[in-house]
Amino acid sequence: GAGAASRSSSAIVEVADGADTARVIEKAATMKLEPKDTRARDVSVLTAGVMALLSLVSTVILVVSATNIAHTFRVFVAERSAEIALYRALGATRTDMRAWVLALATAVGAAGAAAGILVAKVAASAADGLAARHLPDFPFKPATFFAFPAWLYGAALAFGALFAVAGAIAPAVRASRVDPVRALAERS
């Protein structure tokens, strides 16, 4: 009838990016439209849940890593207190000692991040190979399941160095406070 001609009973929406699906469904719900096929919404919710869980796990790993780095550098400073005292006795300032420990932490963090990037690339390549061999062809099957944009490499290196430096701040301050007279007297 005339009333049916003035309202919509359905709409077909195609999104350019799959990440926009959840927003489109929410907007449609405000217009009293509900999808007949809720698989996309279910996958979107599942993906968001998995991402939240992985974010939580990665945060815990970062905290544990920073704590481990702090412990490692605390032991490093304690074992090399005589060397630090000698540097101080020969004229190195407290700032020099802090900078030395933090530079070492930066190098260790960047090297660890570089190793992590290498492991991630190898694991991603292996997973893609397994997927190509064992997963059946399905619509929109990607050539790779992993994205490694160029900026990610720099960000990973910087992030690794940053967390290593964050973990080494307290040991660096401790190294700068080594008393040359006392440390060298204890060694003799």
Side-chain angles (χ1 to χ4, degrees):
S6 65
R7 25 175 232 146
S8 301
S9 62
S10 65
I12 297 175
V13 179
E14 185 175 328
V15 292
D17 185 8
D20 296 332
T21 303
R23 282 198 321 268
V24 169
I25 291 172
E26 286 176 17
K27 184 68 175 170
T30 63
M31 299 172 7
K32 306 248 191 286
L33 295 173
E34 302 232 352
K36 288 184 180 181
D37 185 2
T38 61
R39 288 180 291 183
R41 181 177 46 197
D42 296 344
V43 168
S44 177
V45 168
L46 178 64
T47 302
V50 168
M51 289 300 292
L53 179 64
L54 290 176
S55 295
L56 177 65
V57 168
S58 66
T59 301
V60 169
I61 288 171
L62 288 173
V63 168
V64 169
S65 297
T67 304
N68 191 19
I69 289 166
H71 175 71
T72 301
F73 275 94
R74 195 173 307 124
V75 170
F76 171 79
V77 167
E79 287 179 352
R80 302 202 57 188
S81 63
E83 182 182 339
I84 293 168
L86 183 60
Y87 287 145
R88 293 275 290 130
L90 293 174
T93 64
R94 289 178 179 241
T95 303
D96 292 335
M97 291 296 91
R98 280 192 300 268
W100 176 59
V101 172
L102 293 177
L104 184 60
T106 302
V108 167
I117 290 169
L118 182 65
V119 167
K121 290 288 286 181
V122 168
S125 179
D128 281 340
L130 287 170
R133 275 195 301 273
H134 298 293
L135 286 180
D137 285 335
F138 54 88
F140 309 110
K141 181 178 178 183
T144 180
F145 290 96
F146 304 94
F148 291 98
W151 63 266
L152 187 59
Y153 298 109
L157 289 172
F159 205 64
L162 176 71
F163 266 85
V165 167
I169 288 174
V173 170
R174 185 174 176 195
S176 72
R177 292 184 180 156
V178 168
D179 180 22
V181 174
R182 181 177 291 154
L184 292 174
E186 288 175 1
R187 287 296 221 189
S188 44

